[in-house]
């Protein structure tokens, strides 16, 4: 109807647009027509694109996909764009140049659907368990930018982070969506779907990936049996599960590799060291390795860890000994002093406060591992103090022969000087007997011994008391000895008695000896 109206008024009306292009939207690849119908005009019609003239001919040479359509006689000069492309996105104007007419400036917007989305690492995305990861989906150049939605097993995920970038052409945009996940072993096999869409592709496109959650081996190390005696055989079993598959086992003991072991079990004969040096099994796969260690409950008797050290202290000071043992099951410790059964301490350390010379001696540290064994160590305590003298209060010599008086000095430190002297002043004068430093010799029983030698004993030497005195920096010690006469006879008589079997003879001799003693006793001199 419009057309006949136009024809009718052709000559009477001034040239004008009966149809003008409007703003339009087209999806790339489709065709679009920009209408232009001019009434009452016979001259040249041409289109401009962003101000650039497309040319006067109907088939628009130089613009392969562009042409003018309609009957020019009817004033129709619509612009047909075939298979629209992004470059067609522009402002178009239809101009009747000779009439000075210009249509609306029509904006043609070309939409571009997103291409198939791509998920990094797909179709099977390998992820490390418990390690945060961003699943990344990209939708390349689309116009407008594609919206991206993530689904996990069909359920929408809301936590994705979206971003878009304008591409170099200033029109298309690339979009990226990152879905943060912390994969657990149980997520292995889940399907994640990325869907992209925009106005040009309202139905969207999508891609799905499966995730394969990988983890270093999970390992348990067991020992059979749990509790053993030294020298028994033990089996270590290292059981592991892993994704991807296990590539190897490595064993070590106390940090030292056991090179010959490379399987999932290890049999060994254990000793006490397995109680303190852990055996470890390290299992590897391409993702990582896991190292698990275990000790063995090996039972063993006491083993000395630290030996007690002998000590020398001055009297009045404190002393302490320490000894350490190990054993399994746990041991008990007891400190005693040799010659006594009194337990002085049950701890590693024995404390002795303000020691006296009586505290000197040997101490024993004894460890008892119940039902397994016992062991002990001795240690000596030396107490520095004044000399302690040990003498036989009565010593014997035969008259007119060589005589010897002995005096032993124990204790520590050794005496600097020992003097044996005759107590009787008068006899001392006659005999000149002051025996300075009388031959001293080391005594086997810890100390020194001093002997006073009389080259020939006289009657007056007997029944006298002799004074043995020793000095050191702590003081002096004194002991008194009496020298008694001994008949040379008894030995002979005992021999004779043994031969003759005469008890009577023996009695005679004893009588003789006692008589003789009484006689010399009378002659005793007092100092
Ligand atoms: C995941 O993406 C976010 C946002 O870009 C970033 O902050 C985070 O560090 C990424 N995480 C990982 C594991 O790459
Ligand atoms: C496993 O760990 C223990 C203790 O940390 C270490 O001594 C041992 O060398 C490790 N084993 C391996 C095979 O790395
Ligand atoms: C023994 O001799 C010492 C030193 O000569 C003297 O100090 C001490 O008093 C004497 N002891 C006796 C009991 O006579």
């Amino acid at each position: 109807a419009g057309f006949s109206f136009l024809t009718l008024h052709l000559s009477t009306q001034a040239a004008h647009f009966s149809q003008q292009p409007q703003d339009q939207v087209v999806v790339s690849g489709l065709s679009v027509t920009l209408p232009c119908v001019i009434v009452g005009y016979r001259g040249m019609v041409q289109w401009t694109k962003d101000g650039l003239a497309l040319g006067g001919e109907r088939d628009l040479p130089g613009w392969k996909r562009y042409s003018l359509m309609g009957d020019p006689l009817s004033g129709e000069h619509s612009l047909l764009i075939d298979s629209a492309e992004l470059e067609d996105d522009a402002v178009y104007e239809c101009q009747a140049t000779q009439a000075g007419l210009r249509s609306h400036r029509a904006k043609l917007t070309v939409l571009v659907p997103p291409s198939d989305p791509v998920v990094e690492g797909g179709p099977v995305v390998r992820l490390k368990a418990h390690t945060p990861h961003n699943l990344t989906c990209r939708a390349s150049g689309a116009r407008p930018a594609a919206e991206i939605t993530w689904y996990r097993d069909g359920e929408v995920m809301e936590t994705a982070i979206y971003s878009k970038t304008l591409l170099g052409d200033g029109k298309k945009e690339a979009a990226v969506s990152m879905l943060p996940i912390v994969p657990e072993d149980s997520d292995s096999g889940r399907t994640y779907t990325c869907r992209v869409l925009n106005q040009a592709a309202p139905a969207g496109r999508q891609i799905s990936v499966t995730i394969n959650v990988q983890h270093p081996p999970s390992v348990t190390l067991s020992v059979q049996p749990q509790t053993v005696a030294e020298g028994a055989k033990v089996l270590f079993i290292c059981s592991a599960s892993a994704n991807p598959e296990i590539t190897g086992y490595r064993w070590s003991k106390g940090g030292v590799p056991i090179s010959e072991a490379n399987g999932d079990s290890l049999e060994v004969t254990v000793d006490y060291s397995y109680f303190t040096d852990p055996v470890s099994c390290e299992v590897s796969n391409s993702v990582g390795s896991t190292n698990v260690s275990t000790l063995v409950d090996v039972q063993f008797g006491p083993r000395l860890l630290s030996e007690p050290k002998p000590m020398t202290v001055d009297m009045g000071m404190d002393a302490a000994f320490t000894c350490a043992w190990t054993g399994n099951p746990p041991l008990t410790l007891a400190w005693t002093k040799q010659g006594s059964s009194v337990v002085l301490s049950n701890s590693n350390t024995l404390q002795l406060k303000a020691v006296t010379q009586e505290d000197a001696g040997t101490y024993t540290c004894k460890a008892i591992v119940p039902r397994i064994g016992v062991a002990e160590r001795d240690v000596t305590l030396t107490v520095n103090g004044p000399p302690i003298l040990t003498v036989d209060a009565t010593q014997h010599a035969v008259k007119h022969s060589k005589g010897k008086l002995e005096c032993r000095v124990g204790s520590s430190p050794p005496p600097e000087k020992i003097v044996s002297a005759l107590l009787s002043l008068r006899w001392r004068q006659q005999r000149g007997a002051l025996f300075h430093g009388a031959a001293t010799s080391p005594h086997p029983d810890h100390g020194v011994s001093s002997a006073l030698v009389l080259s020939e004993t006289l009657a007056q030497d007997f029944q006298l008391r002799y004074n043995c005195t020793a000095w050191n920096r702590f003081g002096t010690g004194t002991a008194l000895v009496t020298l008694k006469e001994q008949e040379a006879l008894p030995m002979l008589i005992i021999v004779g008695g043994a031969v003759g079997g005469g008890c009577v003879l023996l009695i005679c001799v004893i009588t003789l000896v006692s008589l003789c003693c009484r006689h010399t006793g009378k002659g005793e001199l007092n100092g």
Side-chain angles (χ1 to χ4, degrees):
F3 192 74
S4 53
F5 172 83
L6 283 176
T7 346
L8 271 174
H9 300 276
L10 206 59
S11 49
T12 56
Q13 298 273 319
H16 67 273
F17 288 103
S18 71
Q19 274 189 56
Q20 296 193 43
Q22 304 296 326
D23 287 356
Q24 274 198 68
V25 171
V26 64
V27 171
S28 69
L30 301 184
S31 298
V32 63
T33 304
L34 297 169
C36 178
V37 179
I38 307 169
V39 182
Y41 178 69
R42 286 276 180 257
M44 178 174 161
V45 170
Q46 84 167 355
W47 285 81
T48 61
K49 175 185 178 186
D50 286 341
L52 177 73
L54 296 181
E57 285 126 281
R58 298 290 292 182
D59 57 354
L60 299 174
W63 302 92
K64 236 172 72 197
R65 291 178 292 102
Y66 295 1
S67 57
L68 295 187
M69 57 171 286
D71 178 6
L73 296 175
S74 317
E76 190 177 357
H77 306 277
S78 297
L79 176 63
L80 170 65
I81 299 178
D82 204 25
S83 179
E85 286 182 12
L86 203 55
E87 63 177 35
D88 306 333
D89 192 278
V91 174
Y92 293 86
E93 211 177 82
C94 179
Q95 300 175 351
T97 30
Q98 281 129 1
L101 280 179
R102 297 174 142 221
S103 71
H104 286 139
R105 293 163 53 79
K107 168 109 188 69
L108 179 65
T109 303
V110 179
L111 300 185
V112 181
S115 53
D116 283 334
V118 175
V119 174
E120 281 178 10
V124 176
V125 182
R126 287 172 218 287
L127 301 176
K128 207 172 161 183
H130 318 300
T131 307
H133 180 84
N134 286 331
L135 277 179
T136 305
C137 180
R138 296 182 191 282
S140 58
R143 187 154 192 255
E147 292 164 31
I148 305 181
T149 314
W150 279 100
Y151 300 85
R152 184 181 73 184
D153 292 340
E155 176 196 340
V156 177
M157 305 302 288
E158 307 283 3
T159 53
I161 302 157
Y162 177 85
S163 63
K164 56 186 181 182
T165 353
L166 191 62
L167 298 185
D169 60 16
K171 293 189 172 151
K172 278 187 289 187
E173 285 176 286
V176 178
S177 176
M178 289 194 286
L179 180 65
I181 57 170
V182 181
E184 298 299 324
D185 291 340
S186 58
D187 292 329
S188 220
R190 279 193 194 278
T191 299
Y192 283 84
T193 301
C194 171
R195 174 177 293 173
V196 298
L197 55 81
N198 68 0
Q199 286 143 262
R205 294 163 180 264
Q206 67 180 49
I207 186 163
S208 292
V209 295
T210 315
I211 64 167
N212 180 351
V213 181
Q214 307 195 324
H215 59 88
S218 328
V219 182
T220 50
L221 179 58
S222 62
V223 194
Q224 287 170 358
Q226 278 288 319
T227 299
V228 286
E230 274 194 288
K233 278 208 158 119
V234 152
L235 183 64
F236 295 94
I237 297 169
C238 186
S239 39
S241 68
N243 177 28
E245 81 282 0
I246 291 165
T247 53
Y249 294 84
R250 286 197 301 162
W251 294 83
S252 63
K253 181 196 164 213
V256 180
I258 307 171
S259 51
E260 63 274 18
N262 52 22
D264 62 357
S265 68
L266 172 67
E267 191 179 45
V268 291
T269 303
V270 294
D271 62 13
Y272 68 91
S273 65
Y274 286 80
F275 183 65
T276 46
D277 294 352
V279 168
S280 60
C281 169
E282 190 190 63
V283 188
S284 310
N285 67 1
S286 63
V287 184
S289 61
T290 309
N291 180 355
V292 178
S293 302
T294 186
L295 290 170
V296 184
D297 186 20
V298 185
Q299 300 202 322
F300 59 99
R303 297 185 61 84
L304 191 66
L305 293 180
S306 107
E307 183 136 17
K309 308 236 173 2
M311 282 193 83
T312 300
V313 295
D314 292 353
M315 58 189 287
M317 306 296 284
D318 295 344
F321 291 115
T322 301
C323 84
W325 300 84
T326 173
N328 181 41
L331 48 81
T332 55
L333 205 71
W335 281 96
T336 52
K337 188 176 180 202
Q338 217 167 60
S340 156
S341 58
V342 178
V343 173
L344 302 170
S345 168
N346 289 114
S347 77
N348 283 357
T349 301
L350 170 64
Q351 298 274 4
L352 297 166
K353 295 264 172 227
V355 296
T356 64
Q357 283 177 295
E358 284 79 63
D359 293 326
T362 302
Y363 290 83
T364 303
C365 165
K366 182 174 185 178
I368 302 161
V369 174
R371 303 185 308 280
I372 309 289
V374 173
E376 59 183 43
R377 269 293 188 290
D378 287 345
V379 64
T380 54
L381 173 66
T382 307
V383 178
N384 286 332
I388 296 173
L389 277 63
T390 30
V391 293
D392 298 329
T394 306
Q395 298 185 18
H396 297 90
V398 177
K399 191 156 49 172
H400 301 305
S401 68
K402 194 174 170 184
K404 188 173 140 190
L405 286 164
E406 219 179 356
C407 163
R408 289 188 303 279
V409 186
S411 78
S412 168
E416 288 133 28
K417 174 168 79 165
I418 304 173
V419 166
S420 299
L422 208 52
L423 281 184
S424 153
L425 183 61
R426 248 188 298 162
W427 184 241
R428 194 188 317 170
Q429 282 161 349
Q430 288 173 25
R431 197 93 163 94
L434 183 64
F435 310 93
H436 265 290
T440 57
S441 60
H443 192 270
D445 187 20
H446 191 79
V448 293
S449 158
S450 169
L452 169 59
V453 180
L454 305 167
S455 51
E456 190 194 350
T457 52
L458 303 176
Q460 293 93 323
D461 291 333
F462 296 100
Q463 293 305 324
L464 293 179
R465 290 202 292 163
Y466 296 81
N467 173 341
C468 175
T469 301
W471 286 261
N472 68 11
R473 64 190 160 94
F474 291 89
T476 59
T478 291
L480 300 177
V481 185
T482 307
L483 184 64
K484 281 199 172 169
E485 187 179 348
Q486 181 186 37
E487 280 299 335
L489 238 47
M491 271 308 276
L492 294 175
I493 294 188
I494 289 162
V495 173
V499 173
C503 273
V504 184
L505 263 180
L506 186 63
I507 292 159
C508 285
V509 172
I510 292 167
T511 317
L512 199 82
V513 169
S514 55
L515 275 174
C516 135
C517 289
R518 198 169 301 145
H519 168 76
T520 44
K522 271 186 192 149
E524 190 178 327
L525 297 162
N526 292 310

